[in-house]
């Protein structure tokens, strides 16, 4: 295959960082909901949820860029990924530091520094509101679910670790803000469906939250995304159809495939991108973006991974799969224990947009064929056997 990666070609497609500025596309309906939420004087928490890599961070950055300029509010962005093991006081201090540094004169007094930990929402936050002359403070928390997910923590987490203590702290903070009519809004992004977050960990916070789900794009939105980004080398209608068939409208994987196709066409001086080019570069694109799919894969419990692995191989020669096929293949591969509560597992995969119904409620297909093909290329039977051995300690 001709090499399609070149240091000299500048691709219009964004694959390795959040989309911002004029490159942001779509999500108008959610953006309007959030704007109304910010204008409200009664609601304090807005939850944006959806599959990982679907565009939640890009949405938060768009809010960050727009709100300060147009909504007469003050926004602060904070990514919670990697903080689950932090002592909760240290995490609160870092959040306070981010708030403090967002002001023009951000240096703390000794009292401010002390208030960060000891009286964060009672004293520190109200003082910042006063400095804003009663302008609302909007806190944008990305990767919120990573704080309370065992995937990111050892089994013997200390009670003062953020994994255990941060979410209850935020619940107390929201209650205090509501009781004292303090104009602070929390917009939090989660890489899981809100219904699948542990109720005993997130329940009280989610009960008071307005929420919206970020979906994959439809066919027209996918075409608009491709056309808006690329004005130098056109994609044929057939090429766009091929891309949509592969990515299902998932914005990140659409950008990944388009980026590789664009580079291939530009480096080989091909004037128009065709389905043949997409098929030529496709397997390499899957391998180069394996870590992105792995990040999505890690949101699934072990039973769901095994069922999805079986489904991926059932669709080697068939368009769709069903429960009978999964049970048959699970028996053949000695993975049958993973199909306990198969209805519940399939419901979870439906809810999280890994699969969808096809022609009837008993048949299923992958929402994103890119993920299905990654499973076939990158996930082996031995890893499923290992997961099976851990199922006694797992639950859907």
């Amino acid at each position: 295959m001709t090499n399609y990666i070149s240091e000299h070609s500048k691709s219009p497609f964004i694959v390795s960082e959040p989309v911002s500025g004029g490159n942001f596309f779509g999500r108008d309906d959610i953006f309007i909901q959030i704007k109304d939420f910010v204008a409200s004087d009664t609601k304090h928490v807005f939850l944006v949820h959806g599959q990982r890599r679907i565009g939640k961070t890009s949405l938060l950055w768009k809010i960050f860029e727009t709100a300060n300029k147009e909504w007469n509010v003050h926004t602060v962005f904070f990514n919670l990924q990697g903080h689950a093991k932090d002592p909760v006081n240290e995490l609160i201090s870092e959040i306070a530091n981010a708030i403090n540094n967002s002001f023009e004169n951000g240096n703390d007094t000794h009292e401010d520094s002390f208030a960060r930990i000891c009286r964060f929402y009672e004293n520190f936050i109200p003082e910042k509101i006063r400095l804003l002359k009663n302008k609302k403070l909007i806190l944008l928390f990305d990767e919120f679910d990573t704080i309370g997910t065992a995937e990111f923590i050892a089994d013997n987490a200390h009670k003062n670790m953020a994994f255990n203590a941060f979410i209850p702290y935020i619940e107390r903070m929201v209650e205090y803000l509501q009781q004292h009519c303090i104009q602070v809004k929390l917009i939090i992004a989660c890489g899981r469906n809100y219904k699948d977050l542990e109720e005993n960990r997130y329940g009280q916070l989610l009960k008071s939250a307005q929420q919206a789900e970020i979906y994959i794009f439809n066919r027209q939105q996918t075409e608009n995304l491709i056309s808006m980004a690329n004005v130098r080398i056109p994609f044929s209608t057939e090429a766009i159809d091929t891309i949509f068939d592969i990515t299902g409208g998932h914005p990140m994987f659409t950008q990944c495939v388009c980026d590789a196709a664009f580079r291939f066409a530009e480096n080989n001086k091909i004037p128009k991108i065709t389905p043949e080019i997409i098929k030529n570069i496709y397997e390499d694109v899957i391998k180069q973006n394996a870590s992105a799919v792995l990040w999505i894969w890690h949101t699934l419990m072990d039973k769901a991974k095994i069922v999805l692995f079986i489904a991926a191989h059932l669709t080697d020669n068939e368009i769709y799969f069903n429960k009978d096929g999964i049970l048959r293949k699970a028996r053949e591969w000695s993975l049958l224990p993973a199909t306990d509560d198969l209805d519940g597992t399939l419901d979870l995969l439906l809810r999280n947009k890994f699969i969808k119904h096809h022609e009837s409620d008993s048949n299923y297909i992958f929402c994103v064929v890119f993920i299905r093909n990654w499973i076939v290329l990158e996930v082996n039977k031995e890893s499923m056997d290992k997961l099976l051995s851990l199922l006694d300690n797992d639950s859907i």
Side-chain angles (χ1 to χ4, degrees):
M1 181 191 298
T2 304
N3 183 15
Y4 56 86
I5 302 298
S6 168
E7 294 179 359
H8 303 292
S9 61
K10 175 66 173 175
S11 169
F13 297 99
I14 301 170
V15 298
S16 59
E17 57 189 27
V19 177
S20 60
N23 294 316
F24 184 84
F25 173 82
R27 313 305 185 195
D28 294 343
D29 54 337
I30 298 177
F31 204 72
I32 291 170
Q33 290 181 55
I34 291 174
K35 184 177 180 181
D36 291 343
F37 160 78
V38 168
S40 165
D41 290 330
T42 57
K43 300 174 182 176
H44 285 81
V45 182
F46 194 105
L47 168 66
V48 178
H49 63 96
Q51 202 175 80
R52 288 178 179 172
R53 306 292 188 180
I54 202 75
K56 299 181 299 298
T57 301
S58 295
L59 178 65
L60 291 188
W61 275 114
K62 181 64 175 178
I63 294 167
F64 180 82
E65 294 169 345
T66 304
N68 285 340
K69 296 177 183 177
E70 301 177 13
W71 297 355
N72 192 36
V73 297
H74 186 86
T75 58
V76 179
F77 178 94
F78 195 90
N79 189 339
L80 289 166
Q81 186 179 341
H83 289 282
K85 296 180 181 180
D86 292 351
V88 68
N89 285 350
E90 182 179 310
L91 177 55
I92 296 301
S93 181
E94 286 195 42
I95 293 169
N97 189 48
I99 295 170
N100 200 62
N101 289 340
S102 69
F103 287 78
E104 289 185 8
N105 300 313
N107 293 330
D108 275 347
T109 65
H110 175 74
E111 290 76 13
D112 280 335
S113 181
F114 182 76
R116 285 179 174 182
I117 297 175
C118 297
R119 305 284 291 176
F120 174 70
Y121 55 79
E122 298 96 330
N123 288 355
F124 180 81
I125 290 291
E127 177 58 30
K128 296 306 177 186
I129 294 291
R130 283 190 287 274
L131 291 176
L132 290 171
K133 298 180 180 178
N134 293 317
K135 187 186 293 186
K136 291 176 182 176
L137 175 64
I138 313 299
L139 302 180
L140 308 173
F141 287 122
D142 201 11
E143 305 290 358
F144 193 85
D145 55 309
T146 64
I147 279 289
T149 306
E151 168 192 345
F152 299 94
I153 203 71
D155 291 336
N156 56 345
H158 192 275
K159 64 179 181 179
N160 291 325
M161 201 174 282
F163 171 75
N164 284 321
F166 182 70
I167 295 170
Y169 185 93
I170 292 297
E171 289 175 347
R172 294 194 299 273
M173 171 178 162
V174 170
E175 184 178 2
Y176 185 89
L177 297 176
Q178 291 171 336
Q179 290 175 349
H180 293 81
C181 301
I182 298 172
Q183 289 301 298
V184 177
K185 303 278 188 172
L186 277 64
I187 301 175
I188 60 181
C190 290
R192 289 169 169 78
N193 187 293
Y194 77 99
K195 294 179 182 177
D196 297 317
L197 296 172
E198 292 181 47
E199 187 171 353
N200 61 348
R201 187 178 295 275
Y202 294 91
Q204 290 301 116
L205 185 62
L206 296 183
K207 282 178 183 177
S208 64
Q210 186 177 341
Q211 63 89 18
E213 183 174 5
I214 294 189
Y215 293 98
I216 54 182
F217 290 144
N218 61 32
R219 169 62 175 75
Q220 186 59 56
Q221 290 170 322
T222 301
E223 181 175 352
N224 293 344
L225 170 64
I226 295 170
S227 301
M228 184 184 76
N230 180 31
V231 296
R232 305 210 306 265
I233 304 176
F235 286 70
S236 71
T237 299
E238 295 77 13
I240 294 174
D241 287 339
T242 301
I243 293 167
F244 186 72
D245 288 343
I246 289 169
T247 69
H250 192 292
M252 178 185 174
F253 298 133
T254 297
Q255 298 255 29
C256 290
V257 173
C258 289
D259 174 71
F262 174 89
R263 291 173 184 268
F264 182 94
E266 185 170 77
N267 292 347
N268 292 282
K269 297 181 171 56
I270 299 172
K272 192 171 189 177
I273 295 169
T274 63
E276 289 70 31
I277 290 176
I278 306 302
K279 294 170 185 175
N280 196 20
I281 54 92
Y282 180 43
E283 187 170 321
D284 278 0
V285 175
I286 293 174
K287 292 178 179 178
Q288 290 166 5
N289 293 279
S291 61
V293 190
L294 192 63
W295 181 236
I296 298 170
W297 181 252
H298 282 329
T299 62
L300 292 172
M301 303 298 282
D302 290 345
K303 281 185 181 179
K305 289 177 182 175
I306 294 172
V307 168
L308 213 56
F309 173 81
I310 294 171
H313 287 275
L314 284 174
T315 49
D316 273 339
N317 300 310
E318 301 288 340
I319 295 173
Y320 63 86
F321 63 94
N322 54 36
K323 285 171 58 177
D324 290 341
I326 290 173
L327 290 169
R328 184 180 65 253
K329 184 62 76 172
R331 189 176 296 109
E332 177 187 334
W333 282 351
S334 301
L335 294 171
L336 205 55
T339 60
D340 291 348
D341 189 26
L342 182 55
D343 287 335
T345 302
L346 291 172
D347 285 345
L348 180 144
L349 293 171
L350 283 165
R351 195 162 56 243
N352 285 278
K353 308 300 185 292
F354 283 92
I355 60 176
K356 59 185 177 181
H357 290 295
H358 177 71
E359 296 182 349
S360 76
D361 288 346
S362 60
N363 296 331
Y364 306 90
I365 58 175
F366 278 78
C367 292
V368 179
V369 175
F370 192 103
I371 294 177
R372 179 261 169 199
N373 291 340
W374 172 84
I375 294 171
V376 172
L377 284 172
E378 300 288 326
V379 182
N380 57 46
K381 171 66 164 50
E382 289 72 22
S383 66
M384 295 299 99
D385 292 335
K386 184 176 180 180
L387 287 183
L388 189 67
S389 69
L390 300 174
L391 281 182
D392 288 342
N393 299 317
D394 192 15
S395 61
I396 285 291

